[in-house]
Each structure stands twice: as structure tokens, then as C-alpha cells.
């Protein structure tokens, strides 16, 4: 057959599309190898101590014991013993010491002292058994009336910690414009230079809690631009439930994680961050198991399960009691999902339908789900499916040819 496409046109097409391919690979590198925590606990700077993770675990265990019968009704997969082990061994995976809304505005000398104390606590947690695997602080925001305090607190925390402890990340609240992210990158570079640290040692999270972060004044959706401007330093996008819904005019009685306004914002965050390696973290609920524990337990379990079904695999926890339902709902979700995923992956590898004809994209999603379950401790490798090794699952999740 004679080719009718001129060679110079073919070369021009290759040049254009090769450049597009290279740009897409840079901007959308995929999920990466970092392991996403299931939650982030927020504790005000004036209440945190080195013992906070253990104290939260003990309080959660006491609540679990007092409401064991009620919790048994929520436990769909017999996961309560695993939750108990988690609360005993490492109740909190990820923790932020909060210098923003949970702490408020204080005299400078008071916040200075709290920042120094926080730095010492964080340094003590690094690599310690039972301590959070990742941790950091939430600073105040970047508005003119808060900016100086935010920068000073971060600097004091790092100085007291002796640099950047392994697992450290800081969260910037109330992001409203993409240009703010460029300033945060400059902040990181400046601190790295000042402390003699390697480039890109510091990483940060953006807290999305303003309507202007979802739709900019020119009608664009600025989060994708924020991720680009972060230059690889942005670890996650965290949703701020109450600031966001309040700014949208939602009445206080209706402000909640499952309000349609919140769902819209998180969906925009999810699409903007897809395949970039930036995680999405759901927000918090202010309903805690104090006055009516069982109602609060049921509510939080429902919200966590709902978030997981929507692909938000991390969320805020604001009370020790939230740890119980966070881990229970997470274990239930991934255990149930893995029971479905394993036979379908086996069928995919064996090229038989098993009643469902799965495509590579579905195999990717199934493998990713199983890996999530393994990494959060909900599941173990299925001995009845020895072909599904971690290496095979990772290859399927990355759409590579699995090792034989």
C-alpha cells in the first residue's frame, strides 16, 4: 500500500504531539509512591504535648469499650479487633499542630513560645514507634493581617525542631488565589537556603475553604494553576468545611461535609488534582461524641463511608472519638472492596470474564483499591490469589505489563 501522507507532515505531527506528550507526563505523573494517610488529626497548639497521640488512643479505646455493642452494629466485616490494635499501636497516622482557627490570635510572645514547644514535640515524634508517621503545623493564613505571624511561627517551629524532621509538612489555610502559591514556594526556598537544606526539602498543603479557590474572578477554576505553581511541593489539598460553606451563604444549621456546596467544591478539587500525585483530604465535622456519643459515632461513620465511596481516602479528625469510626469505616470499606476486586483481577490476568469484562482502566482501579487496603492495614495479601503480589498490583495500577 502506498503512503499518501507526506513525510514532512508526518514529522510536523510528531513534533507537535511529542511536545504534548512530554508536557502531559510532567504535569500528570500519576499517583506516585507516597502512601496517603487515612486521616489528619488537628490539635490546637496550646493543647498538644508529646503524649497527645497516645492520649487520643487511650480516650478512643475507652469510648470503644463503653459503646462496644453499638459499634458492633456498624461493623460489617468484623474489623473491631483490628481497630483496637490500631488504636493501641498507632492511633494517629497524620497530625497537624494548629496555629489557626483552633488556636486563635494570641500575644506574639505567647505564640512564639507555643511555636518553639511545637517544634520540640515534632522533632521528638520523628521515627518514634506509635507516633504519627507524618506531622506538621497549620499556620495562620497569608492575608495581610496574618502573614507576618504565619511566617514567624513556621520559622520558629523549624528552628526548635532542628530543621525539617522526616515526615514534616505545613498547611496553609484560606487559599484564595493562585498567586499566593508562588509566594509559598518562595517561602520554602528561602527557608531551605536559610537553614542550609537541600532544595525541595519543604512540602506544603493548600487548604481550600474559599469560593474564590473554586471559581476565580475571571471564571476559571484556579486549583489546577495552583498545583502547577507549587512546582512539585504541594502534597495535598485539604477541604475546609465550615469556612467554605459559610462563605457560600449556607446557614449554620446546614453546614456539613455532605452539603451539595461542599460536594461541588471537593469534586472540583478531585478533578484538578487527578493524576498529579496531589492528594485530596476531606474536611471535618464539628459533631463529636460528647453530649450524644452514639448519634455522633453513627454520623461520623456515615460521613467517612460516604467520602470513601466518592474517592476521598483521607479526612480530618477533630476528636479522639473520631478515630474509632475513621478506622472502622476505612477497614470495612477496603475489606469489602478487596473481596470484590481480587476475583475480578484474577479473571483479568487470566483473560476470562468471570461475569464481568474489565478493561485496563478498571483493572487499574481494582488494583489501586487493593493497594490502598494493604497500605492502610485493612487487608493482607490474599493467599488464595498468590499471583496478586504487590509488584503485580503496582504494575496494574500503573498500567504496566505485570511481571510474570
Amino acid at each position: 500500500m502506498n503512503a499518501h501522507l507526506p513525510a514532512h507532515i508526518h514529522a510536523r505531527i510528531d513534533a507537535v504531539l511529542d511536545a504534548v506528550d512530554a508536557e502531559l507526563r510532567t504535569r500528570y505523573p500519576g499517583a506516585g509512591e507516597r502512601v496517603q494517610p487515612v486521616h489528619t488529626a488537628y490539635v490546637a497548639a496550646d493543647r498538644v504535648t508529646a503524649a497527645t497521640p497516645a492520649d487520643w488512643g487511650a480516650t478512643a479505646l475507652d469510648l470503644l469499650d463503653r459503646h462496644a455493642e453499638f459499634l458492633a452494629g456498624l461493623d460489617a466485616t468484623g474489623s473491631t479487633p483490628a481497630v483496637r490494635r490500631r488504636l493501641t499501636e498507632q492511633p494517629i497516622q497524620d497530625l497537624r499542630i494548629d496555629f489557626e482557627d483552633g488556636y486563635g490570635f494570641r500575644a506574639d510572645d505567647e505564640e512564639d513560645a507555643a511555636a518553639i514547644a511545637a517544634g520540640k514535640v515534632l522533632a521528638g515524634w520523628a521515627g518514634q514507634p506509635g507516633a504519627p508517621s507524618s506531622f506538621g503545623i497549620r499556620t495562620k493564613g497569608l492575608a495581610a493581617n496574618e502573614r507576618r505571624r504565619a511566617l514567624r511561627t513556621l520559622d520558629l517551629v523549624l528552628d526548635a525542631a532542628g530543621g525539617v524532621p522526616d515526615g514534616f509538612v505545613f498547611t496553609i489555610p484560606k487559599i484564595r488565589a493562585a498567586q499566593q502559591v508562588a509566594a509559598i514556594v518562595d517561602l520554602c526556598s528561602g527557608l531551605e537556603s536559610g537553614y542550609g537544606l537541600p532544595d525541595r526539602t519543604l512540602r506544603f498543603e493548600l487548604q481550600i475553604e474559599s469560593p474564590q479557590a473554586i471559581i476565580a474572578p475571571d471564571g476559571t477554576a484556579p486549583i489546577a494553576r495552583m498545583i502547577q505553581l507549587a512546582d512539585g511541593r504541594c502534597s495535598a489539598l485539604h477541604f475546609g468545611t465550615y469556612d467554605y460553606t459559610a462563605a457560600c451563604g449556607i446557614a449554620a444549621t446546614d453546614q456539613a461535609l455532605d452539603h451539595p456546596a461542599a460536594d461541588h467544591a471537593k469534586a472540583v478539587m478531585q478533578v484538578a488534582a487527578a493524576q498529579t500525585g496531589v492528594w485530596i483530604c476531606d474536611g471535618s465535622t464539628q459533631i463529636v461524641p460528647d453530649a450524644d456519643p452514639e448519634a455522633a459515632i453513627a454520623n461520623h461513620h456515615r460521613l467517612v463511608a460516604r467520602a470513601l465511596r466518592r474517592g476521598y481516602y483521607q479526612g480530618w479528625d477533630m476528636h479522639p472519638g473520631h478515630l474509632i469510626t475513621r478506622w472502622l469505616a476505612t477497614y470495612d470499606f477496603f475489606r469489602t472492596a478487596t473481596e470484590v476486586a481480587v476475583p475480578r483481577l484474577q479473571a483479568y490476568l487470566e483473560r476470562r470474564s468471570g461475569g464481568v469484562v474489565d478493561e485496563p482502566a478498571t483493572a487499574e482501579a481494582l488494583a489501586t483499591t487493593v493497594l490502598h487496603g494493604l497500605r492502610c492495614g485493612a487487608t493482607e495479601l490474599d493467599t488464595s490469589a498468590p499471583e496478586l503480589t504487590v509488584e503485580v498490583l503496582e504494575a496494574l495500577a500503573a498500567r504496566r505489563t505485570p511481571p510474570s
Side-chain angles (χ1 to χ4, degrees), residues 54-397:
D55 291 344
W56 273 45
T59 300
L61 282 168
D62 178 66
L63 188 68
L64 185 153
D65 289 336
R66 287 189 284 114
H67 299 279
E69 184 175 350
F70 181 78
L71 285 161
L74 299 176
D75 184 355
T77 57
S79 294
T80 299
V83 171
R84 178 178 291 279
R85 285 194 300 273
R86 171 63 71 168
L87 295 176
T88 302
E89 296 171 3
Q90 190 194 38
I92 297 176
Q93 265 194 323
D94 185 41
L95 187 146
R96 297 292 169 277
I97 299 176
D98 188 20
F99 287 90
E100 204 229 356
D101 287 347
Y103 182 73
F105 289 94
R106 312 287 182 98
D108 277 342
D109 58 349
E110 186 177 354
E111 184 159 338
D112 285 351
I116 292 168
K120 293 177 179 177
V121 167
L122 295 175
W125 283 341
Q128 291 300 307
S133 303
S134 52
F135 45 72
I137 66 168
R138 178 170 70 168
T139 68
K140 289 179 169 61
L142 297 178
N145 64 323
E146 301 179 67
R147 184 185 311 142
R148 182 194 64 82
R149 184 65 259 182
L151 303 188
R152 178 172 175 80
T153 294
L154 177 59
D155 198 352
L156 286 172
V157 167
L158 294 177
D159 184 64
V164 180
D166 289 342
F168 180 85
V169 64
F170 67 99
T171 308
I172 302 290
K174 296 180 173 59
I175 294 295
R176 300 182 69 190
Q179 298 92 321
Q180 291 175 309
V181 178
I184 301 170
V185 171
D186 285 342
L187 167 63
C188 291
S189 297
L191 288 170
E192 287 164 353
S193 175
Y195 282 96
L197 298 168
D199 185 40
R200 297 177 185 274
T201 299
L202 278 169
R203 296 178 67 85
F204 57 82
E205 301 162 333
L206 303 177
Q207 190 154 27
I208 305 302
E209 47 188 338
S210 299
Q212 296 78 24
I214 299 300
I215 300 180
D218 62 358
T220 60
I223 293 179
R225 177 66 175 158
M226 293 178 185
I227 292 173
Q228 181 184 2
L229 289 172
D231 195 28
R233 293 181 181 269
C234 181
S235 296
L237 306 174
H238 287 229
F239 182 62
T241 310
Y242 299 99
D243 280 84
Y244 186 86
T245 51
C248 287
I250 309 304
T253 51
D254 292 309
Q255 291 176 346
L257 280 177
D258 54 355
H259 191 281
D263 282 342
H264 171 257
K266 287 180 284 189
V268 172
M269 292 164 61
Q270 187 176 45
V271 171
Q275 299 180 319
T276 65
V278 176
W279 298 327
I280 300 299
C281 181
D282 202 5
S284 63
T285 176
Q286 87 282 31
I287 302 172
V288 299
D290 286 340
D292 189 348
E294 292 186 353
I297 287 169
N299 179 68
H300 189 251
H301 185 274
R302 177 185 65 82
L303 290 172
V304 174
R306 182 181 188 272
L308 290 165
R309 291 194 300 273
R310 283 159 174 75
Y312 310 135
Y313 301 121
Q314 181 182 358
W316 283 19
D317 287 331
M318 307 294 288
H319 184 280
H322 287 161
L323 301 181
I324 304 168
T325 35
R326 173 70 59 186
W327 288 110
L328 182 59
T330 298
Y331 284 177
D332 277 349
F333 176 82
F334 284 112
R335 288 182 174 188
T336 300
T338 297
E339 287 181 359
V340 173
V342 166
R344 287 176 65 179
L345 286 169
Q346 288 178 296
Y348 180 81
L349 291 173
E350 296 171 10
R351 295 297 188 271
R352 56 181 172 80
S353 73
V356 180
V357 180
D358 287 322
E359 298 183 353
T362 306
E364 173 189 351
L366 292 167
T368 299
T369 297
V370 176
L371 286 169
H372 268 299
L374 291 171
R375 289 166 178 168
C376 76
T379 60
E380 297 179 352
L381 287 174
D382 193 330
T383 56
S384 68
E387 69 275 30
L388 292 177
T389 64
V390 170
E391 292 75 19
V392 167
L393 291 167
E394 288 176 342
L396 290 171

